[in-house]
């Protein structure tokens, strides 16, 4: 299914582009939580992070720190969040993978509800086992 970011990639609608390479495009969020709020997207058209190829994921990882430095430098912020939502229950609205770089400070930023619980040992052991099994099945 085509998304608004596909249309940006195809040049059908404009964006305030800050960076582009063979695999990645970055542009300002149209509804910023703070000045400099930037979206970083792979050119690979996948809805969720876990669907990305290693190549697209590596390309994003390669430029994220550089883009974060540039956003900090441009805004004067010293704190920021990198947010990446997957699934509508997790607040994803555009179903093309994207990373938010959101400066945090007196001029706004991401508000986070973080309802932490305690990790019980009897829960941790089977969870580690299940995740390791899933990882092993991937390779
Ligand atoms: P998310 O909830 O993680 O799926 O965030 C989607 C973000 O995309 C949201 O912060 C607003 C932004 N957005 C939606 N449509 C457009 C658009 O047409 N242009 C730009 N630049 N940003 C958009």
């Amino acid at each position: 299914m085509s998304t608004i970011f596909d249309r940006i990639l195809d040049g059908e609608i404009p964006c305030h582009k800050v960076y582009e390479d063979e695999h990645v495009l970055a542009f300002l969020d149209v509804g910023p939580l703070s000045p400099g709020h930037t979206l970083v997207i792979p050119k690979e058209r996948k809805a969720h992070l876990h669907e990305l190829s290693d190549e697209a994921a590596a390309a994003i990882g390669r430029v994220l720190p550089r883009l974060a430095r540039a956003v900090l430098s441009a805004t004067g912020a010293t704190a920021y969040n990198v947010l990446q939502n997957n699934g509508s229950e997790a607040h994803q609205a555009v179903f093309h993978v994207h990373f938010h770089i959101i400066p945090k400070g007196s001029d706004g930023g991401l508000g986070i509800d973080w309802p932490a619980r305690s990790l019980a040992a009897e829960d941790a052991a089977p969870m580690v086992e299940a995740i390791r099994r899933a990882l092993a099945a991937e390779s």
Side-chain angles (χ1 to χ4, degrees), residues 3-6 8-9 13-21 23-43 59-60 63-68 70-71 75 80-85 91-103 110:
T3 70
I4 195 87
F5 292 171
D6 293 299
I8 288 174
L9 282 171
I13 61 170
C15 70
H16 294 282
K17 178 166 75 178
V18 299
Y19 176 83
E20 181 170 16
D21 66 29
H23 298 289
V24 177
L25 180 69
F27 51 91
L28 296 181
D29 192 297
V30 80
L33 295 182
S34 58
H37 182 163
T38 296
L39 298 174
V40 186
I41 72 170
K43 291 186 176 177
I60 291 265
V63 296
L64 262 181
R66 201 183 330 151
L67 286 166
V71 169
T75 60
Y80 64 104
N81 294 96
V82 173
L83 176 70
Q84 204 281 312
N85 298 325
H91 214 282
Q92 185 176 12
V94 177
F95 288 87
H96 180 119
V97 173
H98 53 282
F99 289 74
H100 299 255
I101 300 174
I102 311 169
L110 180 68

Side-chain angles (χ1 to χ4, degrees), residues 44 51-60 62 138:
E44 188 170 271
E51 297 168 327
L52 276 189
S53 67
D54 285 355
E55 187 182 35
I60 291 265
R62 197 177 303 119
E138 287 232 351

